[in-house]
Amino acid sequence: KLENLQPIGAYKLRSMGNVLLQVDRDNFGGGAYTASSGNAGLALAWIAQQLGIIARVYAPEGSPTSKLAAIRRYGAEVCLLDHDSWWRIIRDCGHPSDPGLYIDAVRDNRALAGNATIGLEIVEQLPGVATILVPFGGGGVACGIAAAVRALKPEVRVIATESAAATPLTAALKAGAPVAVPVTPSFISGAGAPSILAEMWPLVRELIDATAVVSVAEVAAAIRALCQYNHVVAEGAGAIPVAAALAGARLAGPTVCVVTGGNLDQDVLAAILQHQL
């Protein structure tokens, strides 16, 4: 499922768009902002430009430069923060001194409904689907897809995939509650976090059937395979489901991998293709 072909190169237009288009314009007096390592910020910037509202994106230091450049190109301001400060905005649903309206692309029910359209399209286009592999970041896309599919075809298994660089969901399922996990820096952004957001845990526990964890090297190999055999450029998070499928992650019947995005820095892609990552 090639969400990398969206206008901004990622699925986040679905979640951000469904939120922003339902907010009364009078609420945007101070602009709109979000915390994002790239794709949610891209979606906010793109939609805000269409609506004529001010947008700000708080991004962690080390975010992909191509994503940050595109956010600025769409007219939004980028505010770089250390990772802990950035994560605090996500955890607390906003920045205490920002006058704008915080847009949550993960926990807002409108965002989840936007993501659910991916699940609706999968079932419509492949009625015999048995397994869906989705990358796991904050849980918004995985839970949105799973909610839609569960309502239409409850027999379909939705597997959340993680890279070994950060496995908050796998750890939480093992512990029976959200726990803190280490995050190893890598070229994979948009997937993996220090922990499961408390508000997402009940949904995740109810909707996700299983997890699959792959190595960073396996994700790089999946990116190479997608380029070579399918002429598809996937970013790290978007390639995790493909890596899990190639590793044989408890698949049953027709399987869909959701390639959530394709915004990968050119130098990183070059290094991956040359087997340097």
Side-chain angles (χ1 to χ4, degrees):
K1 181 63 171 165
L2 296 178
E3 291 296 301
N4 61 311
L5 300 181
Q6 293 282 0
I8 63 162
Y11 78 96
K12 288 284 189 179
L13 276 182
R14 298 176 184 263
S15 49
M16 276 292 183
N18 205 40
V19 175
L20 286 166
L21 294 174
Q22 294 187 58
V23 174
D24 191 308
R25 294 290 292 272
D26 292 339
N27 293 330
F28 289 129
Y33 72 100
T34 195
S36 164
S37 61
N39 287 335
L42 266 171
L44 173 63
W46 192 88
I47 298 166
Q49 185 181 66
Q50 313 304 310
L51 297 177
I53 62 177
I54 297 170
R56 288 177 296 281
V57 176
Y58 292 90
E61 295 170 345
S63 296
T65 56
S66 61
K67 293 182 180 181
L68 299 181
I71 290 170
R72 293 187 178 103
R73 191 165 61 247
Y74 292 135
E77 179 186 0
V78 173
C79 308
L80 291 176
L81 300 173
D82 64 83
H83 193 277
D84 289 344
S85 299
W86 170 76
W87 180 250
R88 195 175 303 120
I89 295 175
I90 295 176
R91 185 195 65 198
D92 297 343
C93 296
H95 191 295
S97 62
D98 195 297
L101 179 68
Y102 179 68
I103 307 297
D104 191 324
V106 176
R107 290 165 288 195
D108 193 305
N109 284 338
R110 296 166 295 186
L112 289 166
N115 292 330
T117 60
I118 299 173
L120 296 178
E121 290 173 7
I122 290 173
V123 171
E124 178 183 42
Q125 296 167 13
L126 188 65
V129 62
T131 306
I132 300 174
L133 302 180
V134 188
F136 192 88
V141 67
C143 288
I145 291 173
V149 172
R150 181 70 59 86
L152 296 174
K153 296 179 74 69
E155 70 275 14
V156 175
R157 299 179 74 239
V158 177
I159 298 177
T161 60
E162 298 182 302
S163 84
T167 59
L169 178 53
T170 302
L173 291 174
K174 183 177 181 180
V179 293
V181 297
V183 177
T184 304
S186 73
F187 66 85
I188 301 170
S189 65
S195 66
I196 299 289
L197 294 166
E199 299 91 337
M200 294 301 295
W201 173 240
L203 275 178
V204 170
R205 188 170 48 187
E206 175 188 354
L207 294 171
I208 302 302
D209 293 295
T211 65
V213 178
V214 292
S215 69
V216 173
E218 287 174 314
V219 176
I223 291 173
R224 285 193 291 271
L226 284 166
C227 281
Q228 180 176 355
Y229 300 113
N230 303 102
H231 311 292
V232 167
V233 175
E235 60 188 83
I240 294 175
V242 178
L246 292 173
R250 288 172 282 181
L251 305 182
T255 298
V256 173
C257 298
V258 182
V259 179
T260 49
N263 295 313
L264 191 61
D265 285 351
Q266 291 182 2
D267 57 341
V268 174
L269 177 60
I272 290 172
L273 294 178
Q274 294 171 24
H275 293 261
Q276 296 172 357
L277 282 177

